[in-house]
Every structure is written in structure tokens, then in C-alpha cells.
Amino acid sequence: MQSKLYISSPINAVLEGFHRDDITIDTLKEKGDFGIGTFNHLDGEMVALNGSFFQLDFDGNARPVDGGMKTPFAVMCHFKTKLTEQIPAPLTHEAFGEYLKHMLPSDNMLYAIHMTGKFRSVETRSVPKTENNLPLAEVTVHQKIRRFKDIDGHLVGFYTPSFVPSISVPGYHFHFIDNTFSAGGHMLNCEPDHLDIRLMILFSMELTLPKTLDYLTASFVRDAKTDLEKAER
Ligand SMILES: [Zn+2]
């Protein structure tokens, strides 16, 4: 299986407000069994785990996804564990952040990361369904936060080096889904109780570019790094 990261569209298109593309979930399935993203009109956060795709709606409730649904941004890979780590004892949010800083063998590679176990708390967000052309940093002002306590679940996500902020979210980007696949969202912060961590190093990426008129005629003037800091953290 190829160890390649697939990115369905550069993130700067979503940052600009282009919340529609023609990439379907069925297409994503060909690109991997593991991933995160969103849906057209930002209608929920997406998570794919072991080949099952879920939509985490504005209230943070999860439901299985129809293969015909479309996404303006998704990151996928065929997950294969290359390294394992463990968080054996509870960490505060700050300590978890510190742990992440030192977890990777090199900060300059791409990684797919699957964490599974128990969390003392998880805070997630989802954004409301949004009309086209509203920049992401303005959409996330209306995000809804959901808080989970003492919950078993998964963090599904990626690490991207800081030098590609126009293509994917730099640093860590995780979506949370609980063990029963009933709830979750874009992870804002969490306090792990104990976690098993599986890492996959990705040595290359495949990026498709949108063919929508919005994209073809855009001039990208927004500062991706600043917008992402506002929208994703
Ligand atoms: Zn996200």
C-alpha cells in the first residue's frame, strides 16, 4: 500500500470561503481508510477510521456518511502503524501539548496519528452549515463547542510541517470520535487519561486542485497562517 498523504484541495481555498468542491466520499475511499476533513458548506466535521466515514454535525452528533456526499477539504491515507507510543497516566491539557511537541522523530515530516484510549475530558467544536464565500475565520466565530467527560474514544489526525500552511493545517490537526461512534468533532483540547498512540510517517503527498469557477478565478490574498490560527485552535 502506498504511504502517501492525500489532500483533496489546498486549505487556502476553504480559508478563502470556497466551501464547495466535487470530491465525493467515494473518491476519498479510494485514497485511504483513515482521515479527517469537512463536507460541502462546512456541514459538519468528517472523520474516517478503518474505512468507515462519519459526519459530526453542528451539535457534535455522529452519523455514517453517504458515499455521494462531497467535500471541499479532506486529508486521507491508507493507515499502517509504523511507530507506537503510549501515554500511560493522566495528563493535563498543557502537559499533553508539551508531550506532542516531543513525540515526533522529526518535525519536518508528514504523519498520520491515531490515538485511542480514555480521556478525562475532550473539548470539540463543529461549525454551522455555511453559505459559500464566507472566509473560514469568520465561520468559526459561530462554532459550537461540546465538552465530553470521562470518555473512551479516538483522536484521528495528522501532523503537517509548518512550511505548508496554504495546503494543510500546520502542526497537529485532530478530530475526536467516541468509542460508540455517536459523537465528536474538531478537537480543541483534551486531557488524556491513558492512550495508545499509533504513528505513520508519510514521505510524500498527493494534492488535487479544485476545478470550480470560484477556485479558478480566485486571487489568494488572505494570510493562511493567521487565518488557521484563528479558525483551528
Ligand atoms: Zn478539523
Side-chain angles (χ1 to χ4, degrees), residues 47-61:
V47 57
L49 186 59
N50 301 323
S52 297
F53 286 68
F54 298 93
Q55 178 185 21
L56 307 161
D57 69 14
F58 188 42
D59 295 316
N61 297 318

Side-chain angles (χ1 to χ4, degrees), residues 34 49-50 85-87 113-119 151-156 174 176-179 181 192-198:
F34 179 96
L49 186 59
N50 301 323
E85 294 279 339
Q86 242 185 359
I87 294 177
I113 304 158
H114 179 197
M115 299 192 182
T116 179
K118 191 177 172 82
F119 299 83
I151 190 163
D152 293 308
H154 305 266
L155 289 178
V156 172
F174 289 113
F176 172 78
I177 190 162
D178 76 319
N179 254 3
F181 302 110
D193 185 81
H194 60 271
L195 293 178
D196 286 317
I197 304 173
R198 300 183 190 94

Side-chain angles (χ1 to χ4, degrees), residues 12-31:
N12 67 353
V14 173
L15 291 175
E16 201 69 32
F18 308 151
H19 307 315
R20 285 185 307 223
D21 197 3
D22 298 321
I23 305 284
T24 63
I25 299 302
D26 282 337
T27 301
L28 295 185
K29 285 179 182 169
E30 294 166 18
K31 302 296 184 179

Side-chain angles (χ1 to χ4, degrees), residues 36-37 45 125 173-175 186 232:
I36 56 178
E45 310 279 346
R125 75 99 196 270
H173 181 190
F174 289 113
H175 287 184
H186 171 97
E232 301 293 328

